[in-house]
Amino acid sequence: MDKVQIMRQIEFMVEVLQQVTGLAREKRYQAAMSLIDESLDKLFGLNGTLITGLFGREPLSQLTFGEEADLSQAKLIAAAALLKEAGEIQTEQGEEVESFRSFLTALELLLTALLNHDNSPLPEYAPEVDELMEMLADWHLPTHLNKLLLRYTHKLGRLDEAENLLFEMIEQEPEDEEILQIGITFYQLILEESDAYLEAGNLPRAEAEDGLAELLAHRK
């Protein structure tokens, strides 16, 4: 594991994001977007348009396929930060569809990194999941992204949020057997935990048991 390479990556990103922020503040949007594209190309050999074009077509985890976990996570978080900045610039310019795709892609990259993260401190520039969700509040999120969000909220113990996401997906795609199985597995896993864990996640045992029963009945 090359810790030096990761530290260089972090130092590079701090410098780039400072430059992007400065250019955006001066309303030099084209220069800022060019710098974002150049930085993404250094990370993955793809510019921002190509990366956002992959969204929904290929798992974005493939961007770092074969790399060591720590370096992969560092790159994915760096790309998420860059695309968040791109989305904010596009919003300033009234490019709503483009900004939506940038924020969506940033969220998938970030969730992919965090789901495999060991809870060690993140770089200062790492975006917040809730911040990106707020930026996407007016938009419908695709199912594959909601699946990642469900896994993320489950990992954090935010069980009521995970359950809400689950039933939103079922409402959108009631015949999707994979979603039903994800839900059943979710309930089975959390019901193995203590009452205290369930209460802390705002999903008491009785409610979780009712949810599981509902999904099992739905599957029949």
Side-chain angles (χ1 to χ4, degrees):
M1 186 186 309
D2 193 342
K3 294 289 187 184
V4 173
Q5 189 176 1
I6 294 170
M7 288 306 300
R8 285 177 181 164
Q9 181 70 63
I10 291 171
E11 290 168 1
F12 164 71
M13 278 303 304
V14 169
E15 183 178 344
V16 166
L17 288 168
Q18 287 174 344
Q19 291 178 37
V20 168
T21 301
L23 290 168
R25 190 181 301 118
E26 296 169 5
K27 300 193 183 299
R28 295 171 60 191
Y29 297 132
Q30 186 173 350
M33 292 297 290
S34 294
L35 181 55
I36 289 170
D37 275 344
E38 290 170 11
S39 302
L40 289 168
D41 191 63
K42 286 181 181 177
L43 288 171
F44 305 117
L46 298 171
N47 63 28
T49 301
L50 292 173
I51 292 173
T52 56
L54 291 174
F55 181 85
R57 294 165 50 195
E58 300 287 344
L60 296 181
S61 58
Q62 291 186 4
L63 289 170
T64 56
F65 180 76
E67 295 186 352
E68 292 191 12
D70 286 355
L71 182 58
S72 170
Q73 289 165 10
K75 284 188 171 184
L76 293 172
I77 290 170
L82 287 166
L83 286 171
K84 172 181 169 288
E85 293 294 328
E88 290 177 347
I89 290 168
Q90 289 159 337
T91 298
E92 282 291 318
Q93 294 183 291
E95 298 171 353
E96 291 188 4
V97 174
E98 292 81 358
S99 68
F100 171 59
R101 292 192 69 82
S102 292
F103 289 139
L104 278 179
T105 308
L107 181 57
E108 180 174 342
L109 291 165
L110 181 61
L111 287 170
T112 300
L114 295 179
L115 283 168
N116 298 307
H117 193 67
D118 61 2
N119 296 321
S120 57
L122 295 172
E124 182 180 319
Y125 54 76
E128 296 282 343
V129 170
D130 290 342
E131 182 183 14
L132 287 169
M133 287 295 294
E134 185 176 341
M135 293 169 174
L136 292 164
D138 295 333
W139 298 83
H140 169 73
L141 300 186
T143 299
H144 83 278
L145 194 51
N146 276 326
K147 288 176 181 176
L148 290 176
L149 281 166
L150 188 152
R151 289 174 56 201
Y152 175 70
T153 50
H154 180 190
K155 179 180 178 180
L156 294 185
R158 289 154 52 172
L159 306 181
D160 56 338
E161 294 180 39
E163 183 182 55
N164 289 339
L165 283 164
L166 171 62
F167 278 96
E168 284 175 20
M169 286 191 287
I170 292 172
E171 184 177 347
Q172 291 164 12
E173 301 186 51
E175 304 304 320
D176 191 317
E177 289 291 331
E178 183 185 357
I179 294 173
L180 283 176
Q181 188 55 55
I182 288 171
I184 289 167
T185 301
F186 164 71
Y187 283 120
Q188 289 173 336
L189 287 172
I190 66 173
L191 284 168
E192 293 177 359
E193 302 287 348
S194 67
D195 287 347
Y197 172 80
L198 295 171
E199 292 286 348
N202 293 314
L203 189 60
R205 185 170 299 277
E207 291 183 20
E209 289 172 342
D210 287 345
L212 176 58
E214 183 176 343
L215 293 196
L216 290 171
H218 190 93
R219 190 168 65 174
K220 295 176 183 177

